Amino acid sequence: MAILEVNKMNKTYIGKVNYEALKNITLSVEEGEFVAIMGPSGSGKTTLLNCISTIDAPTGGTIHINKISPYALKEEELAAFRRQQLGFVFQDFNLVHTLTVQENILLPLALDRVAQDVMMERLAKVTTILGIQHLLTKRTFEISGGQAQRVAIARAIIHEPTLLLADEPTGNLDTKSVKDVMQLFTTVNQDMNTTILMVTHDAYVASFCQRVVFIKDGEFYNEVYKGNNRQQFYQSIVDNLAFLGGVTHDFS
């Protein structure tokens, strides 16, 4: 079943000179898939993610998430849809520094007034998967960047979203933390069957995914699938980026 369906989507920014950021984008992501979007700076990949996440409305075409068109919803319905159907992981973590790690993770459930016993059950589940049980009483300024991203991932998945969206989630991390965090994304994808769509500029990061979609100048360019050989998959990503003028990362 397709969790995400984008059909002939366009996005034009209106100004003194109109700028067509996305042109006729069609994309489908199946339940349980882990997909990366790649392309050079200015290619439209973040704009695409913003339209899917309902941060920015498309100019034309349609988007359906779990068979629902978010842009057909009223404002209150859309806010509830975001909280319940979508999870977000950002480059700069977006944690609330006045809250403890536990309070940050539980925030989406608290906003939806989920019962306390359900909250604690889900907290135990996600913190065990992500290996951060020992951090729950700490403040965010007391933990490392890699630990902070784990907390951000836990907050994004605790309400068991239909679709997890990640925008350059490893951009602020050192090499070891990048590998750790991407292994965690893989675990979340496989153990919780979470559907993930991630924007990245990094070929190494993208090699953890099952499929990579490339866009150039706001249009679909190509896509490659992982198959059984990650090294070959990585090389395919690098080759496509070379044509596009993108950025790569050493494979290890």
Side-chain angles (χ1 to χ4, degrees), residues 238-249:
V238 170
D239 291 345
N240 275 274
L241 289 176
F243 282 110
L244 291 169
V247 181
T248 65
H249 185 294

Side-chain angles (χ1 to χ4, degrees), residues 6 183 188:
V6 179
Q183 286 173 338
V188 167

Side-chain angles (χ1 to χ4, degrees), residues 2 34 39 47 55 81 89 134 149 162 196 214 217 221 229 243:
F34 187 0
T47 301
I55 291 171
F81 175 84
V89 180
H134 60 295
Q149 195 58 295
T162 299
I196 305 174
F214 298 91
D217 299 327
Y221 173 76
N229 190 318
F243 282 110

Side-chain angles (χ1 to χ4, degrees), residues 29-55:
V29 178
E30 295 295 310
E31 182 177 9
E33 254 198 304
F34 187 0
V35 178
I37 300 171
M38 303 192 78
S41 295
S43 61
K45 54 188 185 294
T46 296
T47 301
L48 175 58
L49 198 71
N50 286 346
C51 289
I52 292 167
S53 67
T54 73
I55 291 171

Side-chain angles (χ1 to χ4, degrees), residues 56-70:
D56 203 356
T59 311
T62 60
I63 297 172
H64 287 85
I65 299 169
N66 210 14
K67 305 299 182 186
I68 297 168
S69 173

Side-chain angles (χ1 to χ4, degrees), residues 5-189:
E5 294 175 287
V6 179
N7 189 38
K8 297 181 180 177
M9 194 190 78
N10 301 291
K11 175 63 181 179
T12 301
Y13 292 101
I14 307 299
K16 289 183 180 179
V17 178
N18 293 348
Y19 173 62
E20 197 173 15
L22 294 173
K23 308 164 193 172
N24 205 34
I25 294 287
T26 294
L27 172 68
S28 179
V29 178
E30 295 295 310
E31 182 177 9
E33 254 198 304
F34 187 0
V35 178
I37 300 171
M38 303 192 78
S41 295
S43 61
K45 54 188 185 294
T46 296
T47 301
L48 175 58
L49 198 71
N50 286 346
C51 289
I52 292 167
S53 67
T54 73
I55 291 171
D56 203 356
T59 311
T62 60
I63 297 172
H64 287 85
I65 299 169
N66 210 14
K67 305 299 182 186
I68 297 168
S69 173
Y71 291 102
L73 301 175
K74 296 176 182 175
E75 193 171 331
E76 284 187 11
E77 294 172 330
L78 180 57
F81 175 84
R82 280 195 200 105
R83 289 199 310 271
Q84 294 160 12
Q85 299 279 345
L86 302 177
F88 302 93
V89 180
F90 301 97
Q91 180 175 335
D92 55 2
F93 316 138
N94 280 14
L95 300 175
V96 182
H97 298 303
T98 54
L99 302 180
T100 65
V101 165
Q102 175 170 317
E103 289 166 341
N104 266 282
I105 295 170
L106 290 175
L107 198 55
L109 301 185
L111 290 171
D112 269 345
R113 297 187 174 92
V114 173
Q116 183 74 15
D117 57 336
V118 175
M119 289 172 69
M120 300 318 292
E121 181 183 328
R122 291 197 187 175
L123 180 70
K125 179 180 177 181
V126 299
T127 55
T128 298
I129 288 172
L130 297 173
I132 53 174
Q133 310 96 309
H134 60 295
L135 301 177
L136 293 178
T137 59
K138 291 186 179 294
R139 302 281 175 177
T140 56
F141 57 81
E142 297 178 297
I143 62 178
S144 70
Q147 290 171 330
Q149 195 58 295
R150 287 175 184 239
V151 174
I153 295 169
R155 182 187 57 189
I157 64 174
I158 194 165
H159 61 299
E160 299 174 355
T162 299
L163 180 64
L164 178 61
L165 301 166
D167 189 6
E168 300 283 6
T170 61
N172 283 335
L173 302 178
D174 59 52
T175 302
K176 182 185 182 305
S177 295
V178 167
K179 185 175 183 178
D180 290 345
V181 165
M182 290 315 301
Q183 286 173 338
L184 289 172
F185 270 107
T186 301
T187 298
V188 167
N189 170 245

